[in-house]
Amino acid sequence: MPCDFSALSAAQFEYLSADLIGRDKGIRFEQFGAGPDGGMDGRHARGPDTTILQAKHYEGSGFSELTRVLRNSRLAIDKMAPSRYILSTSVSMSPDRKEKLMDIIGPSLLEPGDIYGREDLAGLLRQYPAVLNEHPALWQTGATVLETVLNRTLDERERRTKPPEVLASLLPRTLTEPGEAQEPPRDVIFLLGSRPGDDPFILWLGPKLEAHGYHVFSELLTLEPGDRWRKEVYRALEHRAIKVLVPVGPATRGDDGLMDLVDKAAELAQTLGDPRFIIPLRMEDNARIEGMRDTVPVDFSRGWGKGLDRLLTALRSQKLPCDTAEIVVANQWEAFRVRQAIPIVREPETLTSNWVPVVEMPDQIHFYEAVGALHEDALKRQVSRLTYPAVQHGRGLIVFADPHDIAESFDGIASLRLRASASVTDFVESGIPEIGLKGRDASNMMTGMIRDAWERLCRSRGMIAYTYSGSEGFHVSADQVPNGSKVSWGRQGGGRRSSMLRNVARKHLWKYGVTAVPKLWPFWHFRLKARVLFAEDNGTPEGKGIDDPKKMHRLRRSGCQGWRNKQWHGRLLAFLEIMSSGSAFIRVPLAPGHDMVLSSEPVLFTSPVSTRLPDILDADSEETDESTLGRPESEEA
C-alpha cells in the first residue's frame, strides 16, 4: 500500500509513529501535549529502563537536513540517557543511511532496526491496517489508502445489515429466504436477562443447559451489544421458543428492553395456552416481576448449582425436547467470554497488594507459671483486664511482657515466675518443648496474639468495631474523619493523594474499614480485607444502625458497585495513613516496652505480564461518582 506522509503535520506524524512503533514493539508510548517535552515525542518507562521515541518529519527537507538536526540534538539525547532510543522519520532510508545515523545518534541507538524510515512505516501500515481508521489525515494521501478504508467500511456495513448466523438460523425461511416457506420446529429455550448485569449468569447457565441436550438461545450468542437485532429476536421468539427463562433480580424491572421481551413472551404464552411458558429464575430473595407474581420461580438465590438442579427437574417434568445423543454447545459462548476478556501484554507490571508486612517483632516470648495456690478464675479475669495480649496455658500464661510488668499486673492475684523463654522464630516453628507446647499450637497462639494486639490498637484509636462472620472489622469513626472529608496519603512515596473513608450517599451513611488477618507464611504480614458498613442517614454523624444482615448485604452490593480499583486502593492507603498517624510505620503494642512494627505501605508485587487497560484518571477523579459523594435522588429513584 503506497503511502506518503506529506499531508501530516508534525504532531500528527508523532502520533502515527507512536501508534505504529508501539504496536511493532508491543509497548505503549506515553505522549505529551504541546509545549516543552525535553525532546521526547514518546516515552515508555518500566522500572529503571526508559525507551525514548523521537519523530522527525522531514520528508520535504531530505536526508541532509535530518542529519544536521540530529547532530545538533546529540547533546540532548545523551542528557536524556535513555536505555533505548528509537527514531521515526518520513525520510526514505537505506542501509548506508541507517549506519550513518547510528554514528550520529550514539550508543543509545542500539540497532539499525530502531530507525524507522518511510518504507518501514509504510510496511507497518500494511501490517496494522486498523491504524488507518485512527488517522484520517492519511486518507487523502493516496487513492489506494482511501479505497482500503472505504472498502472496509462498506464491508462492515454489509455485515451489520444481516442478522448474525446464530440468530438467522432460528428465523423462519420466509423471513430470510423468500419463496421457501417452511415453519421451523418450536424447540428453543430463550434465556433472557438484563444486560450487562446478568451476563455472567447467562454465560454460566447457557452452556450447561446445552450440555444437557437443550437448544438454547441468548442475545449473548449474537456477539453484538445492545438491541441491534431486537426485531429479529422478537420474530425468533414468536416462532421458535418453547420456554422463556428470565433471571429476576433488582435490575430486572428497570430494564425496559428486557421487560419488552417479557411482555412479548407473555402474549405468546396466552396464544400457546401455556401458563408455564415463562419460568422466572429468582436471583435474590423476594425478587419478582409485576404481572407474574403467581408464577412459581426456580430459586437460584441459595446457590447457582442448586438452582440448576431444580431447573433441570422442572424442564424434564414439562417434557421439553432434549437431545442427549448429539449434544452441541455453541462456540459463541466461549467467543463472548474471550471478547469480554482483557488482552494480556508481556510486560512486567507493579501491583499494590493488601498485604502489610511485619518489619519488627520483640526478640523473645515468655511463659510464666504460677507458684503455689492458684485461683484459675481469678487468673482468667485478670488476663481479660490486661492492656496487652496474653494466652493462658496450663497453670500459667504466655506473653511478651517482662517479669516486673507481670509481677505488677498480677500482684495479689497470683505469684508467677518465669519458667521458659523462646525466640519468636523458634516459638512458631517448634513451640516450647519443656512445657509441652508444640509448634503448631504455638503458631496458632502467635496468630491470635498479634490479631488481638491489632484489634486493641484499633479500639484505642476510637474506631468502630463490627462483627463479620466471626471476625471483626474496624471502621473509621466520625471523630477521626468527618463525613465527606478526604484523608491525604502518599507522603512517603511522593505524589500526594486523598480518599474518602466516610460519607452519606443514597440516603445511607457508609463507613470504610478493614478486617486484619495475620499470616506467618511466606513471611510475617497482615492481610487487610476491605469492609464497608452502612447505616441509615438520620442526621447524626454515625447514622442509625441496620440490624438486617440481608439488607446490609444488598447495600454493599449496590452501594459499592461503582467503585473502581483505584478507589479501593486509595481507601486502603488512607486507612493505613490514619493507623500510622502519618509515619512510615504502625506500632502495635504487644506488652509494655515491646511493640510489633508494621509497614504503613502494602507490599508491592511484580506481575510478569500486564494489560492495556487505560489509566487516565487524575488524582481525585475516582472520588467523583455518586456512590462516593452522594447525589440528590429523583422521586422515581
Side-chain angles (χ1 to χ4, degrees), residues 542-618:
E542 295 299 344
K544 179 183 177 182
I546 297 174
D547 297 327
D548 184 354
K550 292 182 179 178
K551 181 177 181 180
M552 186 75 76
H553 176 69
R554 289 194 300 270
L555 285 169
R556 289 193 194 101
R557 293 189 63 182
S558 60
C560 307
Q561 65 180 358
W563 293 2
R564 296 174 290 272
N565 284 342
K566 290 185 71 175
Q567 286 171 283
W568 290 105
H569 167 73
R571 301 199 204 294
L572 175 62
L573 293 185
F575 183 91
L576 292 174
E577 185 79 11
I578 291 178
M579 292 298 295
S580 66
S581 300
S583 169
F585 303 102
I586 302 171
R587 291 196 168 272
V588 183
L590 295 176
H594 299 285
D595 296 337
M596 171 177 59
V597 180
L598 310 178
S599 172
S600 64
E601 297 182 0
V603 175
L604 299 180
F605 293 98
T606 299
S607 169
V609 296
S610 181
T611 61
R612 293 200 184 281
L613 288 174
D615 187 14
I616 58 176
L617 294 177
D618 59 34

Side-chain angles (χ1 to χ4, degrees), residues 15 30 92 175 204 211 216 237 272 311 334 384 441 471 503:
Y15 300 149
E30 299 173 82
S92 177
L175 296 176
W204 177 87
V216 179
L237 179 67
L272 298 175
L311 177 60
E334 183 60 26
S384 67
D441 295 330
S471 62
N503 200 16

